[in-house]
Structures are given as structure tokens and as C-alpha cells.
Amino acid sequence: MMSTAERSTELPRSIPIEPSREYGESEPNEFDYRPVPVLAPVSLCLGLVAAVGMLGLLGLAIPLLGTILGGVCLRQILRSNGEYGGFVPAVVGFGLSAVFLLFGTVFHAHAFATEVPEGYERVNFTQDISKKEFVVAQGQLAPHPDVAALDGRKIFLKGYMFPQFTTEKLKGFVFVRDSGDCCFGGNPPLTDMINVAMTNSKTADYSSGLVSVAGTFHVNDPRTGAEMTPVYELEADHVERSRTPFR
């Protein structure tokens, strides 16, 4: 047995003491910073707003740009052998842009293919009517043969409603080919105007944007036309704000 005196003289075992750390000194970390290409956040931002591509044709430029820049950014990151970060935002931006680009394109294509009512043929107001100026036949002013061929046919075309004092429940209105004629005054040429008369007790409300009209087309004698009195007429049974910007 060890005596009390011997116990008191026994040295305590040494306890390892960590070196003191000065105040404010932080723990060492192994975080390895990797630079993020500027295209990564740009691609993400474009992807987040890419839904505007569903609203109009021009809006498709945003998801298209996002898809291109996102693809370039991903290629840059994957080829960097781990030197660049930002893979996740680049993937998200690229994916959102690609999805909205696809759905937006399909949506607008479907709208264009189905906007013409059954039994009507699509006619371009500018190319098929407005640019076909009157001709002189046997010394007399006459409609262009291509426009005359549309007489009595059911057509679908797009243009703008000429402003009137009344804006609701219109039984008829003057239809012009572009917004310059309807919104900025002036007297459009006779070939740029169509007198629209609603049929079957239908009415239409004024719209300042692009409008689609469908009905039976008629051509009158140009010699009877006076200023702001259209030579062309359309018995319309379908008027609506245009679903697409395509003519």
C-alpha cells in the first residue's frame, strides 16, 4: 500500500494543452473558392423571365437568348476541369429558357394554325390587296385582277380599325392595313381601306391593336369611290383582337 506522503509527492500526469489562439483568429477552413462566369447569373435571370415568350412573338427573343447564353456558359464550366463554379444557376437558367422557348413556339404556331375560322381563306391585307393598285382597263379605272378575283369569296385578314366616335357595339367600321393610317391621322389610299359591315345582328367593339376580321369580300367600281369612301367591302361575321402578330 502507498502511504499518504508518497501519494502527495507523486507528480500528476501531463495533460496536453492546445496552444493559445489570439482573439479574433478564426478556425482554418478548407473552402476552395471557384470563380463564377458572368454568364451564369445572366442565364439564370433570363430563365426566370423567359415566360414572357408566351405573351407574344417578340417575347420569344428572351428565352432564345437565355438558351444560347446558358448553353455557352455550361460548355465553359464543363470544359474548365472544375476551375469554374456556377453550374447550378447555369443549368436552371438554361433549362427554364429552353422549356419556355419550346412551349412558346408551339403555342404561337398552334394559334396561327387555328385562328382562321373554318371555311375562310387567309389573305394578307398588304400583299394581296393594298399593294395591288387600281389598273386602267379599256381607258377606265378598274380593280387589280388579283383583287377582283377575291370578289364574293370568304376571306380572313388582319388590320386596324379606323377610330370612330363610338367604340362599342359597332355595326360597321373602316378597316385599314396599318396602324399609321388609323392612329396618326391622314387619309389612307382607297386600296388601304375596307368598309366592314357586321352581319346577322352582330356587333364589334373598337380595338387599337391588330384585329382579325373574317367575312365575304366584295369589290365595287373604283370610279364610285370618293375620299375616305372604301371601294372594297366586307360582310363580316367574325371580328376579334388578333391572336398572333403574323399576317
Side-chain angles (χ1 to χ4, degrees):
M1 296 290 293
M2 184 177 296
S3 64
T4 304
E6 290 176 343
R7 291 178 182 176
S8 62
T9 58
E10 183 181 3
L11 296 176
R13 296 180 182 179
S14 60
I15 301 175
I17 301 177
E18 296 182 357
S20 61
R21 187 175 297 114
E22 295 183 2
Y23 178 78
E25 184 179 351
S26 59
E27 291 281 353
N29 60 73
E30 298 179 354
F31 177 73
D32 184 17
Y33 173 76
R34 291 181 297 170
V36 177
V38 68
L39 288 181
V42 171
S43 172
L44 178 60
C45 292
L46 290 174
L48 294 176
V49 298
V52 299
M54 304 293 292
L55 302 179
L57 182 63
L58 294 178
L60 288 177
I62 292 180
L64 175 61
L65 182 61
T67 301
I68 295 174
L69 295 183
V72 172
C73 183
L74 284 175
R75 183 178 181 182
Q76 183 180 7
I77 293 174
L78 294 175
R79 285 190 165 191
S80 69
N81 295 323
E83 294 182 4
Y84 287 131
F87 179 77
V88 172
V91 168
V92 174
F94 174 80
L96 289 174
S97 295
V99 168
F100 282 114
L101 177 62
L102 174 62
F103 278 92
T105 302
V106 173
F107 173 79
H108 293 301
H110 179 267
F112 178 77
T114 58
E115 66 179 348
V116 181
E118 185 176 357
Y120 292 85
E121 60 180 304
R122 184 186 296 273
V123 172
N124 186 289
F125 198 160
T126 300
Q127 301 298 328
D128 299 328
I129 297 178
S130 180
K131 286 190 175 181
K132 306 288 185 178
E133 298 181 354
F134 299 136
V135 297
V136 177
Q138 298 179 352
Q140 296 182 346
L141 198 64
H144 192 283
D146 293 344
V147 180
L150 297 174
D151 189 26
R153 289 160 62 175
K154 292 186 175 182
I155 66 172
F156 171 91
L157 71 165
K158 298 181 180 181
Y160 296 85
M161 302 174 72
F162 199 89
Q164 302 184 52
F165 294 107
T166 304
T167 59
E168 296 181 350
K169 297 182 179 181
L170 301 175
K171 295 185 178 297
F173 55 90
V174 175
F175 201 49
V176 293
R177 70 179 180 90
D178 61 42
S179 58
D181 291 334
C182 73
C183 302
F184 298 101
N187 296 330
L190 292 178
T191 54
D192 288 1
M193 298 186 297
I194 298 176
N195 188 45
V196 176
M198 303 300 298
T199 61
N200 301 324
S201 301
K202 293 183 178 181
T203 60
D205 294 336
Y206 173 77
S207 175
S208 59
L210 189 64
V211 174
S212 299
V213 178
T216 304
F217 187 71
H218 297 289
V219 180
N220 298 322
D221 190 340
R223 292 173 297 177
T224 63
E227 186 177 33
M228 293 299 295
T229 303
V231 173
Y232 307 134
E233 294 184 354
L234 190 71
E235 296 178 358
D237 50 24
H238 174 86
V239 177
E240 68 174 2
R241 190 176 181 86
S242 180
R243 303 178 190 177
T244 70
F246 301 104
R247 297 299 187 102

